Amino acid sequence: MSTEISVDEIDGDDDQEQISEYDIVSSPNDFNTLTINSFIEQGAIQTPGFQRNYVWDIKRASKLIESLILGLPVPQVFLYEENRNRFLVIDGQQRLLTVHFFMKGRFPRREKRSELRKALNSGGGLTPELLADDAFFTPFKLQLPKLPNGSANRFSRLSYETLDDYQNQFNLRTIRNVIVKQVNPKDGDSSIFEMFNRLNTGGVNLNTQEIRASLYHSDFFENLFTLNEHQAWRKILHTENPDFRMRDIEIILRALALNHGTDSYSGSMTSFINSFCKEAQGFAASQVAQVSDDWSWFLNLVSSWDELTFWPGRTKFSALLFESVYCSAQQLRSEGRDVTRLDPAKIAAFGRSEEFSAFSQEGSTKTSNVRGRLAATSTFMRSLAEEVSR
């Protein structure tokens, strides 16, 4: 059974506050490959990106390098200026890392890319010891197809060190980048979020979660990828592999944000989650660990439940039911209630009930519906807990 996540349930917003005007600083630059490599080495360019890891294979990477050597134009890169001399990659992670890996002469093994991403974002870059480790890398030698006449491409099998006369030519090639920063309003970076929500990248509009991954990069956000790989969570969603558009991570994030508290909720789920992510950038290691503990506790609780508990209509996963049950279970746990014997069949039936549906149809992100849904689920879950305690 494949996972079908309702976009209305995840992304729908109602009554969003609209800002009448932004003041944006946008600065185009042409960084040559030497500068790009240096910036990544020094940690000036952080690469959270929209894909969790570097995803290109060596053939695609080789075509980019060939284009740069030949002087052919490549797509521009978008960077967000988080602080002075610190930039987050909004779009272009694959291109920037390809240049960096090629100049280092090493191509990352697919199974090690998650670990390498952490090293790149640590600020210390890839150490010589790590680059020399064949468990993490293979030599980066260009793999290019033969020419139409059947002869070999002159650059095929060359590395950065063996480019000879072409090395300086490659070093001076530039990639256009656009650095953006919000000046006003001064209360955040909502303009950047809106701007890139409208950006068409490779024919695919970036979704809200993909943009968050870059704008709100933090230890907390990195940990979401680990939470998303929990075996019980993958079982609930009926799919082994994470969603490449990160919709599954957004479900996790919604549940965590709502459990954190809804006092600031004002009708926009997008703004609410963004504010939570911004706050979470300052979470201490102990707070990040507590989030992981809460998540694991809940998944262990529901791991024995029927696999369709959160699929009340039996054909579609209900993010709304999941997040509501998650928040209620965490509340009961904090009160010391016994929730280990809750009847999942009754929870699934509640998800189909008129009581729950009244808060879950059109306008599901309205303040009254969000709070009403959580309150109704809390009351229902509390009654279940009381039943089993008698």
Side-chain angles (χ1 to χ4, degrees), residues 174-189:
T174 60
I175 295 179
R176 168 60 58 95
N177 68 87
V178 179
I179 298 175
V180 291
K181 184 175 180 63
Q182 177 175 320
V183 177
N184 282 302
K186 297 180 179 180
D187 59 350
D189 42 36

Side-chain angles (χ1 to χ4, degrees), residues 37 51 124 127 145 147 183 186 201 287 290 293 297 310 313 325:
N37 184 58
Q51 298 282 349
T127 64
L147 302 179
V183 177
K186 297 180 179 180
T201 304
Q287 291 174 283
Q290 184 61 54
D293 177 74
W297 172 84
F310 297 108
V325 172

Side-chain angles (χ1 to χ4, degrees), residues 14-28:
D14 304 281
D15 304 328
Q16 290 195 52
E17 179 182 356
Q18 183 174 3
I19 295 174
S20 60
E21 185 177 6
Y22 286 108
D23 185 2
I24 306 294
V25 173
S26 177
S27 174

Side-chain angles (χ1 to χ4, degrees), residues 81-120:
E81 186 176 359
E82 185 180 42
N83 293 303
R84 182 176 176 82
N85 296 323
R86 178 181 167 87
F87 309 98
L88 298 180
V89 182
I90 300 297
D91 180 48
Q93 175 187 226
Q94 308 299 314
R95 297 186 289 281
L96 295 177
L97 286 182
T98 294
V99 169
H100 183 59
F101 291 140
F102 181 65
M103 297 185 76
K104 293 298 184 184
R106 305 289 278 170
F107 194 77
R109 293 187 182 275
R110 185 173 296 274
E111 66 274 15
K112 294 293 186 179
R113 293 179 182 183
S114 179
E115 295 177 61
L116 291 176
R117 181 166 177 258
K118 294 177 182 178
L120 283 164

Side-chain angles (χ1 to χ4, degrees), residues 54-62 97-98 101-102 104-110 113 116 131 133-134 136-141 143:
Y54 181 74
V55 298
W56 279 10
D57 61 28
I58 197 166
K59 291 182 179 180
R60 185 171 183 180
S62 296
L97 286 182
T98 294
F101 291 140
F102 181 65
K104 293 298 184 184
R106 305 289 278 170
F107 194 77
R109 293 187 182 275
R110 185 173 296 274
R113 293 179 182 183
L116 291 176
L131 284 166
D133 192 338
D134 290 335
F136 285 83
F137 292 95
T138 61
F140 195 155
K141 295 183 178 181
Q143 294 186 19

